[in-house]
Amino acid sequence: MYRTHTCGELRAAHIGKEVTLSGWVQRSRDLGGMTFVDLRDRYGITQLAFNMETHEALCSEARKWGREFVIQATGKVIERHSKNHQIPTGEIEILVENCAVLNPSKTPPFTIEEESDGGDDLRMQWRFLDLRRNPLKNNLMLRHRMGIVARNFLDQQGFLEIETPYLIKSTPEGARDFVVPSRMNPGQFYALPQSPQTFKQLLMVSGYDRYYQIVRCFRDEDLRADRQPEFTQIDCEMAFVEQEDILNTFESMVRTLFKEVKGIDLAAVPRMTYADAMRYYGSDKPDIRFDMKFQDFSDKMKNKGFVIFDNAEVVLGIVAKGAGNYTRKQLDELTEWVKRPQIGAKGLVYCLCQEGGTFKSSVDKFYSQEQWKEIAAQGDAQQGDLILILSGELHATRKQLGELRLHLGNQLGLRNPEEFKSLWVMDFPLVEWNEEAQRWFAMHHPFTSPKPEHIALLDTEPGAVNANAYDFVINGVEVGGGSIRIHDRQVQSRMFELLGFTPEEAQEQFGFLLNAFEYGAPPHGGIAFGFDRLCSLFGGADNIRDFIAFPKNNSGRDVMIDAPSVIEKKQLDELFIDVKTVD
Amino acid sequence: MYRTHTCGELRAAHIGKEVTLSGWVQRSRDLGGMTFVDLRDRYGITQLAFNMETHEALCSEARKWGREFVIQATGKVIERHSKNHQIPTGEIEILVENCAVLNPSKTPPFTIEEESDGGDDLRMQWRFLDLRRNPLKNNLMLRHRMGIVARNFLDQQGFLEIETPYLIKSTPEGARDFVVPSRMNPGQFYALPQSPQTFKQLLMVSGYDRYYQIVRCFRDEDLRADRQPEFTQIDCEMAFVEQEDILNTFESMVRTLFKEVKGIDLAAVPRMTYADAMRYYGSDKPDIRFDMKFQDFSDKMKNKGFVIFDNAEVVLGIVAKGAGNYTRKQLDELTEWVKRPQIGAKGLVYCLCQEGGTFKSSVDKFYSQEQWKEIAAQGDAQQGDLILILSGELHATRKQLGELRLHLGNQLGLRNPEEFKSLWVMDFPLVEWNEEAQRWFAMHHPFTSPKPEHIALLDTEPGAVNANAYDFVINGVEVGGGSIRIHDRQVQSRMFELLGFTPEEAQEQFGFLLNAFEYGAPPHGGIAFGFDRLCSLFGGADNIRDFIAFPKNNSGRDVMIDAPSVIEKKQLDELFIDVKTVD
């Protein structure tokens, strides 16, 4: 037996017991007469004590061990002279009577501590060592717990986990597919699923009225910091439900996760239309941990002689509470910040609401103190507050001001990662116009149902059609999204037509679903949660990579195993494919 | 709200209640004054009653509904005149006051009943309709339950579910990989994992001493009846354990599954060496629901003048209890059966142990009654039993006799699918010689550890080296297999060398693992269970396909969605690949 206890288990109550532990050398201290070794495993750290006087050979041996050696040690649990109250095992130590090196270790390329001295690239390359560090270990344990809690919640609600295939059919709509050449069907390819969307809808047609799956999904997109080519969803679907049923069920799931995983009672989840989210926060996933709503100052600020505002479609502002003491330097920095290409504003107008009720703005020559007073009143800006204003085309200005709002939220400490504010954003447009492609694209996906009262608009004004679609947002992060689906063949065909599919293309790609709708498809809808993101949010982090055991880098590479890689010509031949020469 | 209750929920206690149900029309009967419609959902069937006298319009409407129409009906729960004691809702019916067709249905291409009238191909093509049938629904519900029970068991044992990547690196050892061209890394390919083997070993090196994952795996092999290109494993690994710890843990998991899913108390699981399994059953996965052990009759039957036996390496027999009354026709059929190419025996010797203690065999001229008496005594054959004997080369004869044993087990009704007999098969050889490739192949995989006391034999007699490897067998089906792994770089390198890898190839393909073994790899081992097969076994079936929602056919095709399929030239171009013309 390699161990009688783990390294996180022994307490004062065990004093006098003979135990065997196995683990890794975290650090060792040689104090002449005694040598102390901190032995670490997944469960904690226990101090091993070696006595040079009574066990000279043993102690000399232990002094040769380097960091990360794998050690097995047997001895008696004794009371520690200088107790360590930082760790649960800090009252005891093991007076070692016998030990063995189970495996030595070279010196790791970086320190295995809470904070490592290794850079990102090095730690990715040696991911198996980085995973020994507590922060990553805690993340993966959190992720495991969330999976268990989510599954048991859904099980108790009568949902069945049903596995859908990973080798499916490529469809050009949506993001780019990863494809898999078929050896048995020369010249043909499978695709890896971007989501199990059509399969879960078929399961509804099959009568499995409550489905879920914690499932890997794949998208071959250029990667941004927070994107991975493979990611995990909690994917759910229900039949014979209305939108309200789905919202209630999954609000309850998130509430259960918060309660059981973090001990937090989630407040009631407010609901906001997409239109309001855009109007007040310039974002379809507003962070409502802080208010700072948009104000439309167009009426008060246009046609007052300031030509930039006069020519703008809208003049929008926010009030940063307590930022009225910002220095000229801070204000210049904000201006530079919004002018960066990532934000793209042309400039920033500010107004400090000063002590004594006066205003100091960057456009004082165009607006009187009286006018500022009215503007301030509209935004409920008090003395000591800062008004920040952007102008331009409606959509772009909202987006820019939304970014500025979040930036200020960070600067002013309004975005506490330990505080959680959830939100349903509802009533999304069904489609949006794409200028480049000169056609309509589905805002969620082609299976999302238009609101019944808007169906007639599909022919006349598609952009005005709203969908029974909803996103679950926590702290400004979209963690889930879904919709009531189309279950009527005619409506689905009309939708494909609107998205530019010929009837033949629609039949070729989605014939199985269109057929299914003719054989008793029930009303249904669902939602999918981004599990990586949900975990990172629960972990108080904004990087999903640290919540995935073996992530890819931004080039889609696993630098630890060195994948992807070239394959043998024999493999290519069997698959009937050639690699083209790249210049 | 689409429903107040499900179609499986209402009982006599609900009589008088106003309810709304939604579901599918299973069948309808028109009795003149009344029309009855059986409404079905996942939970059961409830009878709807329409009264022609009081609700003529409603009743006429209902008479138009076809099978599989999706209906919503509201009415009062009333007591049924002629109760149906076959179904839980059989005491009541709904006197319908209001109803709506939620979606009509064309007539399905086959009947949606316990036994369908549709052929295999048709039902695969219309899988979403076949999935409505009770047998398939029960299979998927069983599968869901098994997943929940397995996960909760492992969670309670301190195992963490950790997701490993699906886009990994192709390695030529083992079965053929499915590969995925990388757009961002031109000319390079990911592989889909055949198992998360190396990743779970890395997790052990990372200190996650109890890992599991219910995970999809992929093998691009020519498909047999019971194989799928994608399949699911319960994949597990533990560190700081010996073989005994793993056997106990997973015996306990299977015991929990039997208890919680089927209410069965699994008997203690016996253990058998691979050598004994081959010696007594001619199989490394013997079905021990019945005995019928092999007898080696070589000593008693060779060199008695029967040239076929004289020239054979071995003469092996089995005793079929109670089959001494087999007719000549039955015996001829058995002979034909073993001579089929799938079995490949040259012939079959039989001996009927008759009433009165005489023997009647197919080789009477070579063996006396006295000799038969001794042979019968060795095999404990009594009056009324049948002795069946094969001869030839050891390995082939064992295999043939093993097949014959199972065939007789079926004929004699000794293989009851409701009875479960488990078995550990242990001490597998580490490697086996492949004549065609003229090299050693790993019997489990290249990471399996030789028994420490056999390591010296690696250089002199690799075929004699046994491994700490074990299979879990239920009713003659291998449902799980695993081993203690190598955790020493030198041993792993030696193993790769034995398997014909050059040091460069080993480093190129498994460098990350060899490296990991130099940075504190703990002793570890694990097991993986074939989840599809485990589910089918629990479901009393021998076809895994009916326990997978959307399986592929034997050509690796999903005939419902018509995948794989050709993809657009634009996709190929982006991936830097060409499809070769197939002649």
Side-chain angles (χ1 to χ4, degrees), chain A residues 3 163 190 209 232 519 556, chain B residues 3 132 163 190 209 232 556:
Chain A
R3 57 184 177 190
E163 295 172 60
Y190 302 99
D209 59 354
T232 301
Y519 287 87
Chain B
R3 58 184 176 191
R132 287 186 187 163
E163 294 171 60
Y190 302 99
D209 60 353
T232 301

Side-chain angles (χ1 to χ4, degrees), chain A residues 1 20 45 49 62 78 83 162 183 196 198 212 245 255 271 289 322 329 346 391 424 435 445 453 559:
Chain A
M1 198 195 315
T20 300
I45 282 182
I78 58 172
K83 303 200 169 39
I162 300 176
R183 182 179 56 86
T198 50
Y212 81 97
D245 301 307
R255 177 163 287 115
R271 297 175 184 190
R289 279 175 298 183
K329 180 156 173 288
K346 296 254 166 50
S391 69
W424 286 109
E435 267 306 319
H445 54 54
E453 62 272 26
V559 292

Side-chain angles (χ1 to χ4, degrees), chain B residues 287-358:
Chain B
D287 183 348
I288 58 166
R289 278 175 298 182
F290 64 109
D291 193 21
M292 212 186 281
K293 274 201 194 71
F294 289 7
Q295 299 292 332
D296 187 342
F297 294 135
S298 304
D299 284 352
K300 297 196 173 63
M301 302 195 79
K302 284 179 67 161
N303 307 314
K304 299 287 186 285
F306 181 39
V307 65
I308 291 177
F309 283 4
D310 293 351
N311 292 337
E313 185 180 353
V314 285
V315 179
L316 302 178
I318 50 177
V319 175
K321 291 276 162 204
N325 58 351
Y326 264 36
T327 61
R328 181 61 193 254
K329 180 155 176 286
Q330 284 175 299
L331 293 165
D332 285 348
E333 277 169 5
L334 281 183
T335 305
E336 287 314 305
W337 193 87
V338 299
K339 286 166 83 175
R340 296 182 316 147
Q342 299 94 312
I343 307 299
K346 297 252 165 52
L348 175 68
V349 166
Y350 65 83
C351 175
L352 300 161
C353 307
Q354 298 172 313
E355 299 291 315
T358 59

Side-chain angles (χ1 to χ4, degrees), chain A residues 358-406:
Chain A
T358 61
F359 300 93
K360 170 85 197 74
S361 86
S362 52
V363 287
D364 274 350
K365 62 177 162 178
F366 299 109
Y367 301 95
S368 66
Q369 290 288 314
E370 199 49 43
Q371 284 171 322
W372 278 117
K373 202 167 171 182
E374 282 176 31
I375 293 164
Q378 179 185 333
D380 196 23
Q382 311 291 333
Q383 290 181 27
D385 294 347
L386 169 65
I387 306 173
L388 292 167
I389 302 167
L390 292 174
S391 69
E393 183 268 322
L394 173 68
H395 184 71
T397 307
R398 280 179 170 176
K399 208 164 170 317
Q400 292 155 8
L401 194 61
E403 297 286 347
L404 178 61
R405 175 181 174 273
L406 294 178

Side-chain angles (χ1 to χ4, degrees), chain B residues 29-92:
Chain B
R29 276 153 297 145
D30 175 6
L31 304 183
M34 295 291 288
T35 291
F36 296 101
V37 173
D38 283 353
L39 197 67
R40 185 197 72 230
D41 66 11
R42 176 183 137 198
Y43 309 90
I45 283 182
T46 299
Q47 178 162 295
L48 307 180
F50 297 83
N51 189 323
M52 195 65 181
E53 281 183 31
T54 61
H55 294 79
E56 188 183 341
L58 212 59
C59 194
S60 305
E61 175 67 19
R63 287 179 182 183
K64 295 183 204 146
W65 301 341
R67 285 198 286 126
E68 303 303 320
F69 271 48
V70 186
I71 300 298
Q72 181 181 35
T74 299
K76 199 158 271 173
V77 182
I78 59 173
E79 190 176 357
R80 212 154 137 173
H81 286 274
S82 58
K83 301 201 172 37
N84 178 346
H85 298 295
Q86 309 301 309
I87 57 172
T89 60
E91 291 191 65
I92 56 92

Side-chain angles (χ1 to χ4, degrees), chain A residues 462-473:
Chain A
V465 175
N466 279 350
N468 277 323
Y470 33 82
D471 279 356
F472 198 87
V473 175

